[in-house]
Amino acid sequence: MRNIIVIGGGAAGMMAAVAAAKNGAAVTLLEKNEKLGNNIYITGKGRCNLTNACGREEFFAHLVHNPRFLYSSFAAFDNTAMMSLLEDAGLELKTERGNRVFPASDKASDVTKTLAGLLEKYRVKVRLNTEVKGLILEDGCGDGKDGEKAGQTRRCAGVMTAAGPLYADAVIAATGGLSYPSTGSTGDGYRFAKEAGHKVTALYPALVPFNAKLSSGLPIGSLQGLSLKNIEIFVTKSGSEKVLYREFGEMLFTHFGVSGPVILHLSSAVAEVIAKGPLNLRIDLKPALSDEQLKARLEREFEAAPNKTLAVVMRKLLPAALVEPVLAGQKLAGTTVVSRIGEDVKKRIVKALRSLEAELTSLRGFGEAVITQGGVNVKEIDPKTMASKLVKDLYFAGEVLDVDGYTGGYNLQIAWTTGAAAGRAAAQEDKETRREKMNRSIAIDGPAGAGKSTLAKTLAKELGMIYVDTGAMYRAMAVHFLRKGLTGDDEAGICAACEDAQVEIRYEDGAQQVILNGENVTGLLRAEEVGSMASASSVYGPVRSRMVALQQELAHKTPVVMDGRDIGTVVLPDAKLKIYLTASVQERARRRANELREKGQEVDLATIERDIEERDFRDMNRPIGPLKQAEDAHLVDSSDMTIQEVIDTIRRLYEG
Ligand code: DC
């Protein structure tokens, strides 16, 4: 079982911990605050806009940086998967305007509670008030040979906390960004990433309001609290006509500048640009009307109240607070009586309604930003697994990565998607390591009586490897079936009985012990009826898939010498050396007869030969995992060889 440490109990960290534990890992989640889910309440004004229920294309259209990086992890765990995960765990959801998804209760804490419930269900150890000081990085675990990525010479062996080191098979850094420092996000993850040799791109507060000044010189604070719907904003660099950004929607004035949905989006789009200098914001207050329509509207208002002043009539078209700033923008006098207004001035009024202008001076800080833009350079991260390409056994998830989206649930979905990918991958030992172990294993296949087990045992001893007798596992299953009173031809009965058979392998003084549902059945396995039942029941799919999985698991832990029927073809297709050991039926029958005579039993050679032929036929002709020589296996016929000659031959092959 893999031991995984997840740093950070926010959205990405909780998700990573659940995913890793679900995939069989023993997970410890470290959170420096006194509670989990501190970043979950930020979105949706405390209600938790946990994702967006849009389609895939729309989802990617709402990502600002590195959307492509998310393609494969999103395919594996998308917004619908997240909604199902929460709903299956008992959280009712609702979808609002713009496909924004919220807990039906409108309580962000219910999302955290649901995830905490899953952490408990999957036995994740949660350690609160535990601050990680740094990663434990070990040098020199790889040299770029044997398929290992060149340069990947370091591995992350755990983390350092105030209470001392914690070691693990893999570490997932889900430390959040710099935004909302009150949630405990202080950018530790960026430091860890840099220590591990990663590049961190420039960091900007995003989804954040702006400091701004009205171009007319009037104080912007006088508009504080004014919210505008159905407006369109246009943003340009000072002195340039080129529109950098335009969007239709809602915005808000604050005492220091501007905020609200379109402004927050804008901040994500121009965070980098505004760091170099102020920008111009033009607000079209009537984007739905053409110039002609707007002029006609104005004339209708003028005709209805010909003796009123322009400032008074404009209130029909605008919130009162905006009248002065709008007119000031085109240097229009509010005191003019409207019946005296000519064509030229009407055009200027139309223009004024289209161009309430302000200078955006800077972004507000990280303290008010929903997210951090920038982060660990995704070029150095495997997009499928979130694994560091530089340091083995190190993963990143969530905001610490250089991926971000607009408001609407996209950023939390990034956290869920990357957290799920990292958790899943970290729980599974990386393929390279598995293959490397398998690559050192030896697979021996062949019919009964060819001398496989003697050969395998001797080789394992000489090479310091573990011997796995897979026939014994099928035999243990056979014991289970016999005890249930089943016969070999009862496919349905055997497949059903498979469910409650737990076979394990242990080693005592180097000898394999087979444990069936907690009982050591090694002593029972060589009985004739057990052999027959093993041969008969091993044709069924459910029996084989259980055994193959168990055998692969053993070989993933340590290099093995494994013998059986399908080892080179199915169980260890990447084994370093594959042997197909056979002998003539007559020779095998003679050996078996000698064995039985030594035990003092009466033997009939013809019967033994017939039994062997029958068993060979059954093993070689079953549809699943039949006995056959793998294409890359060495054929060794032991009919005329002593056991020592066989061993010497195979050692030469192994060493060669
Ligand atoms: O090797 P053995 O005689 O102990 O194996 C007992 C039976 O188990 C054999 O008849 C076929 C089956 N078996 C199998 O199907 N696949 C294996 N890898 C090993 C054994």
Side-chain angles (χ1 to χ4, degrees):
M1 189 184 265
R2 301 263 291 164
N3 268 308
I4 310 286
I5 287 176
V6 179
I7 318 173
M14 284 202 276
M15 188 65 227
V18 168
K22 231 178 165 177
N23 280 280
V27 184
T28 306
L29 175 63
L30 307 177
E31 166 57 49
K32 70 176 175 186
N33 286 291
E34 59 195 11
K35 58 182 183 10
L36 295 171
N38 265 311
N39 63 0
I40 282 181
Y41 74 86
I42 299 172
T43 60
K45 300 194 177 78
R47 298 190 299 139
C48 187
N49 176 195
L50 59 102
T51 189
N52 193 290
C54 62
R56 183 182 178 280
E57 275 188 22
E58 212 186 320
F59 181 83
F60 284 104
H62 283 84
L63 299 191
V64 181
H65 287 101
N66 297 312
R68 279 158 175 278
F69 174 75
L70 225 65
Y71 282 0
S72 54
S73 58
F74 187 77
F77 190 84
D78 63 7
N79 45 357
T80 55
M82 186 59 197
M83 290 188 270
S84 308
L85 179 105
L86 293 172
E87 282 169 338
D88 292 347
L91 182 69
E92 212 182 309
L93 302 177
K94 62 176 174 185
T95 305
E96 295 189 358
R97 192 170 52 86
N99 286 323
R100 289 163 192 246
V101 181
F102 296 88
S105 64
D106 280 333
K107 283 193 207 146
S109 56
D110 285 345
V111 177
T112 307
K113 270 186 207 150
T114 307
L115 289 166
L118 289 172
L119 293 173
E120 205 177 314
K121 175 174 169 190
Y122 293 109
R123 305 217 171 95
V124 171
K125 240 190 259 162
V126 177
R127 289 172 61 164
L128 300 171
N129 301 308
T130 306
E131 185 174 350
V132 171
K133 308 273 184 206
L135 304 176
I136 301 174
L137 298 168
E138 281 178 355
D139 281 330
C141 70
D143 50 14
K145 286 188 204 146
D146 293 338
E148 195 159 27
K149 287 177 208 90
Q152 194 176 37
T153 56
R154 289 207 288 175
R155 83 167 279 263
C156 181
V159 301
M160 191 52 91
T161 71
L166 287 176
Y167 292 96
D169 295 315
V171 172
I172 303 173
T175 43
L178 284 170
S179 37
Y180 273 78
S182 57
T183 62
S185 290
T186 48
D188 297 339
Y190 305 118
R191 179 167 55 82
F192 301 156
K194 283 184 192 161
E195 282 166 9
H198 280 274
K199 285 197 193 76
V200 174
T201 63
L203 304 172
Y204 303 99
L207 297 180
V208 64
F210 286 83
N211 291 310
K213 295 192 280 214
L214 287 175
S215 305
S216 59
L218 292 168
I220 201 159
S222 65
L223 299 179
Q224 178 178 357
L226 178 66
S227 148
L228 301 176
K229 289 203 170 72
N230 303 322
I231 49 96
E232 189 166 11
I233 61 164
F234 296 82
V235 175
T236 51
K237 278 192 202 163
S238 299
S240 156
E241 292 287 294
K242 194 174 156 225
V243 176
L244 295 179
Y245 187 88
R246 66 185 276 191
E247 195 183 346
F248 180 87
E250 283 178 53
M251 65 170 286
L252 178 74
F253 288 93
T254 66
H255 68 284
F256 52 77
V258 287
S259 183
V262 296
I263 297 296
L264 296 185
H265 275 191
L266 169 69
S267 73
S268 268
V270 300
E272 265 177 85
V273 188
I274 200 167
K276 297 190 191 104
L279 297 172
N280 276 345
L281 168 71
R282 177 167 74 82
I283 305 166
D284 181 348
L285 297 160
K286 299 287 173 195
L289 300 179
S290 68
D291 282 358
E292 288 69 36
Q293 286 169 323
L294 194 46
K295 190 162 156 268
R297 171 83 204 279
L298 206 59
E299 283 168 345
R300 276 203 306 280
E301 297 296 345
F302 287 2
E303 275 159 29
N307 300 321
K308 296 264 164 71
T309 61
L310 177 58
V312 170
V313 175
M314 286 296 272
R315 288 183 189 196
K316 299 273 183 200
L317 291 149
L318 291 174
L322 272 186
V323 171
E324 200 192 341
V326 165
L327 294 180
Q330 286 293 315
K331 300 199 169 56
L332 291 159
T335 49
T336 317
V337 173
V338 293
S339 60
R340 299 224 190 99
I341 289 177
E343 283 304 301
D344 201 35
V345 174
K346 280 182 199 162
K347 273 193 194 146
R348 280 169 57 207
I349 300 171
V350 167
K351 193 161 181 212
L353 287 166
R354 296 234 185 275
S355 47
L356 175 61
E357 292 195 38
E359 186 187 62
L360 302 171
T361 48
S362 59
L363 295 171
R364 301 288 286 177
F366 283 105
E368 289 170 54
V370 175
I371 57 152
T372 304
Q373 211 169 67
V376 176
N377 185 347
V378 295
K379 287 203 185 91
E380 298 163 351
I381 303 294
D382 180 333
K384 254 198 193 132
T385 61
M386 303 299 139
S388 161
K389 289 182 184 171
L390 309 182
V391 174
K392 260 186 146 177
D393 302 323
L394 176 62
Y395 298 76
F396 291 92
E399 211 183 335
V400 70
L401 291 166
D402 181 17
V403 188
D404 64 283
Y406 290 125
T407 53
Y410 302 100
N411 286 295
L412 272 180
Q413 185 59 48
I414 294 172
W416 310 132
T417 292
T418 54
R424 199 180 329 109
Q428 290 158 3
E429 192 171 5
D430 83 79
K431 278 200 196 112
E432 222 89 291
T433 317
R434 282 175 173 231
R435 197 165 297 144
E436 193 190 313
K437 281 180 187 156
M438 267 212 228
N439 277 349
R440 283 160 53 203
S441 291
I442 302 179
I444 303 175
D445 290 302
K452 296 189 303 291
S453 64
T454 319
L455 166 70
K457 259 185 226 165
T458 318
L459 272 181
K461 207 168 178 185
E462 289 185 6
L463 299 170
M465 285 154 79
I466 286 203
Y467 165 52
V468 183
D469 170 5
T470 61
M473 298 181 181
Y474 286 93
R475 286 171 183 262
M477 290 294 273
V479 169
H480 179 70
F481 302 141
L482 287 168
R483 284 177 174 174
K484 293 218 156 201
L486 296 164
T487 53
D489 56 1
D490 182 357
E491 178 170 358
I494 286 179
C495 294
C498 223
E499 299 287 315
D500 50 318
Q502 199 64 43
V503 174
E504 289 162 75
I505 298 294
R506 267 192 229 142
Y507 289 87
E508 281 173 18
D509 298 327
Q512 174 179 304
Q513 306 293 313
V514 188
I515 315 297
L516 170 67
N517 291 335
E519 176 193 349
N520 190 336
V521 292
T522 315
L524 309 175
L525 303 181
R526 304 319 304 177
E528 276 306 321
E529 56 166 354
V530 173
S532 308
M533 181 50 130
S535 170
S537 58
S538 62
V539 301
Y540 304 127
V543 179
R544 298 208 71 77
S545 53
R546 288 282 297 277
M547 294 298 99
V548 168
L550 181 59
Q551 290 151 15
Q552 287 179 331
E553 172 127 17
L554 289 168
H556 290 157
K557 285 195 189 123
T558 176
V560 294
V561 181
M562 190 178 273
D563 76 349
R565 306 293 189 281
D566 56 346
I567 311 307
T569 51
V570 178
V571 182
L572 304 178
D574 295 318
K576 176 184 165 100
L577 178 66
K578 296 181 188 176
I579 304 293
Y580 189 82
L581 184 65
T582 188
S584 66
V585 173
Q586 294 74 18
E587 176 57 21
R588 286 188 282 138
R590 198 186 57 76
R591 291 177 190 169
R592 179 78 182 135
N594 284 347
E595 254 174 51
L596 293 173
R597 277 195 204 103
E598 272 169 30
K599 286 185 192 161
Q601 291 179 23
E602 290 269 311
V603 292
D604 171 28
L605 206 56
T607 313
I608 295 178
E609 271 185 24
R610 206 180 50 244
D611 278 356
I612 286 181
E613 274 172 345
E614 261 174 32
R615 198 173 287 197
D616 283 0
F617 183 84
R618 198 159 43 201
D619 288 352
M620 288 173 179
N621 291 285
R622 64 181 171 224
I624 314 166
L627 166 64
K628 71 170 186 223
Q629 183 183 346
E631 272 176 21
D632 49 349
H634 298 272
L635 175 67
V636 178
D637 186 332
S638 70
S639 304
D640 299 315
M641 292 166 92
T642 63
I643 187 67
Q644 196 51 52
E645 283 169 339
V646 174
I647 291 166
D648 291 345
T649 308
I650 287 161
R651 274 212 78 144
R652 272 200 300 279
L653 287 171
Y654 185 75
E655 275 147 20

